[in-house]
Amino acid sequence: MALLSSLRTQGLCGALYYTGTRSISSGSLHIKDSLNFWSGGRVSLKDVETKSEPVYEPATGRVLCQLQACGAADVDAAVRSASAAFTVWSKLAGMERARVMLEAARLIEVDRKELAEIEVVNNGKSITEARLDVDSARLCIEYFAGQATTLSGQHVQLPGGSFAYTRREPLGVCVGIGAWNYPFQIAAWKSAPAIACGNSMVFKPSPVTPVTAVLLAEIYSQAGAPEGLFNVVQGGQETGSLLCHHPSVAKISFTGSVPTGKKIMEMASRGVKPVTLELGGKSPLIIFEDTDLENAVRGALMANFLSQGQVCSNGTRVFVQSSILPQFLKEVARRTKAIQIGDPLLDETRMGALVSKPHLDKVLGYVKQAKKEVQGARVLCGGEPFVPADPKLKDGYYMTPCVLDGCTDDMTCVREEIFGPVMSVLSFDTEDEVLRRANDSALGLAAGVFTKDVKRAHRVIENLQAGSCFINNYNITPVEVPFGGYKASGIGRENGQVTIEFYTQLKTVVVEMGDVDSLF
């Protein structure tokens, strides 16, 4: 835990404007004086007058660094760097691109321990989950390295010996805009398919969690990627707007809230730029009376409490058939109370800190509101601020995971995405009833069903209006399968073979083998 000791005692050296006195390194990873990266290296901003904002460590509440947003000149420099790299990278064979990507994946595996620890300090989630996130990033890059070698078009035979064929070509400079709940993983999930298809990328992480994206940029560079293939610019809404409006940007991929996604879609429409939007969810998890109750409880916990409940696909509307509701509530409350909260860098911790103080207050506010509403919800457990025993963590952003019983469909906690460790439990009687209620949402990211009846399982899934569905499990996201939503939960998909279509454009070529048959 040498990195843990350094980070906790010296302060993190690593944003655009450092508050500490020395660099920290662990193995081959170096957290230096800038988190911007383009033209093959870290870039310090020249405009020191730009207003800076503090970045906090969720586990302790201390300031890690000061963040300065990239302005128009910085964004333009990063995009120009990406454009130059695209000229080179897009001409390589798929096997050549795959070779670089596989080396990047290997380097991630080598640095897995350090990357996970830095992600914990950056985000607040448990070290156990952070390691899995790093693994998911590596697997995604490996998967799309394989896809890079398979890109191909179609041959169509036409009359008289003529023919047509299609070419799947890269788009150009793609922009990735990440969320704060999976900083390193999202950077990989967006960059891997983009560069596999021959594109380059400028990535903007969330200003709340700016630290680890630049480490991925350095890994790609060390793996042999051309300068400018994967660039990182830091900043908030204004920086994102500059990226979306830049004339040399060909595509935008965004993960985040529905309101921000709508704004990005509007900005992209002015340049007729394609978008991939992975937005919010208020997903239903349906538990029928014939289920294996132990597995259903496990699934409900996984559907609500991963990453302190800060997961867009979480099944936070838990519909339980009324005949088994008492048993379910008893067991899920018992298991929830047993979740170990504390220092996210310790292996035994299962729930770390929420990402920020304002977000913690917002989540706690939802619990208070649920109790106050007419026919208010009953708090079975949790929903309170939590102070760990370790004095170093007393200012961290912790709360006890919460289970709400007696919820109704019209309650705010059931209608709105809370994005925290709050499970809302609702009862139902019939299949038709629960399908109607489950689909009564503007969102449609995910859904889950627990039942032993295989016919019912597939019938219910067919009728659920959601893009990512689970039968007898929840929140399983292998990189080989597409992930994305219906309705207001987004456009396009991430991961899986279909993602290639969202990072390429199709060119049709018609070849005439005879004379032109002209009407003139």
Side-chain angles (χ1 to χ4, degrees), residues 178-231:
W180 47 253
N181 55 340
Y182 288 89
F184 189 79
Q185 177 181 294
I186 289 176
W189 277 24
K190 293 192 183 301
S191 62
I195 66 176
C197 293
N199 303 287
S200 58
M201 176 165 277
V202 180
F203 184 80
K204 190 194 81 65
S206 165
V208 180
T209 53
V211 175
T212 49
V214 72
L215 301 179
L216 181 60
E218 290 186 325
I219 286 169
Y220 278 133
S221 181
Q222 292 166 18
E227 291 186 2
L229 182 66
F230 181 75
N231 310 272

Side-chain angles (χ1 to χ4, degrees), residues 11 30 40 52 65 70 73 75 84 104 106 120 197 246 270 274 318 327 356 363 369 383 398 400 407 418 482 495 507:
H30 301 279
S52 61
C65 52
C70 287
V75 167
R106 187 191 70 80
V120 169
C197 293
H246 198 287
R270 297 172 189 173
V318 181
Q327 304 99 291
S356 71
V363 174
Q369 183 176 359
Y398 300 91
T400 50
C407 298
I418 298 175
N495 292 337
K507 176 179 286 182

Side-chain angles (χ1 to χ4, degrees), residues 44 122 290:
S44 296
N122 192 34
D290 67 342

Side-chain angles (χ1 to χ4, degrees), residues 449 451 453-463 471:
V449 176
T451 178
D453 185 337
V454 66
K455 291 182 179 179
R456 170 188 274 165
H458 291 288
R459 182 173 65 244
V460 170
I461 287 294
E462 179 184 358
N463 287 285
I471 296 176

